[in-house]
Amino acid sequence: MLTRGMKKIESKLGGLKKKVRNRMRSVTKRVIAIAYAARHKGEAGENKRKQQYRELLRLTRQILNDTSEFWPK
């Protein structure tokens, strides 16, 4: 949602100081990987899910950091 909003702002303003990076493809890959890992039972499946969740949280932090550069705190 944040990425889409920033892309709209970027298109309306005609450009920003820093380019907005679209990480939706990466986020989608992580969500699908979590769904596949959920099919695996036991400790191995749980470890796969945890790793994918960590990656998803890392991407979320990156998106938040990107958007926070555009709005003063």
Side-chain angles (χ1 to χ4, degrees):
M1 191 170 122
L2 288 172
T3 303
R4 279 183 284 158
M6 292 304 296
K7 287 287 186 181
K8 285 181 183 180
I9 291 170
E10 183 180 40
S11 67
K12 296 227 188 246
L13 292 177
L16 298 171
K17 290 181 184 178
K18 187 176 177 185
K19 188 168 171 46
V20 177
R21 186 168 186 176
N22 190 348
R23 290 189 170 89
M24 284 305 300
R25 188 169 62 185
S26 298
V27 169
T28 302
K29 283 182 181 182
R30 297 298 159 251
V31 170
I32 291 171
I34 291 169
Y36 280 126
R39 298 172 74 186
H40 298 283
K41 302 294 180 198
E43 192 173 325
E46 185 176 340
N47 290 336
K48 285 182 183 180
R49 279 192 307 276
K50 283 182 181 180
Q51 179 60 35
Q52 295 303 324
Y53 271 117
R54 282 189 198 104
E55 288 293 317
L56 183 60
L57 288 173
R58 182 183 62 80
L59 286 168
T60 304
R61 270 187 241 107
Q62 288 176 341
I63 292 169
L64 288 173
N65 288 336
D66 286 349
T67 55
S68 68
E69 291 177 11
F70 295 102
W71 282 289
K73 292 182 179 182

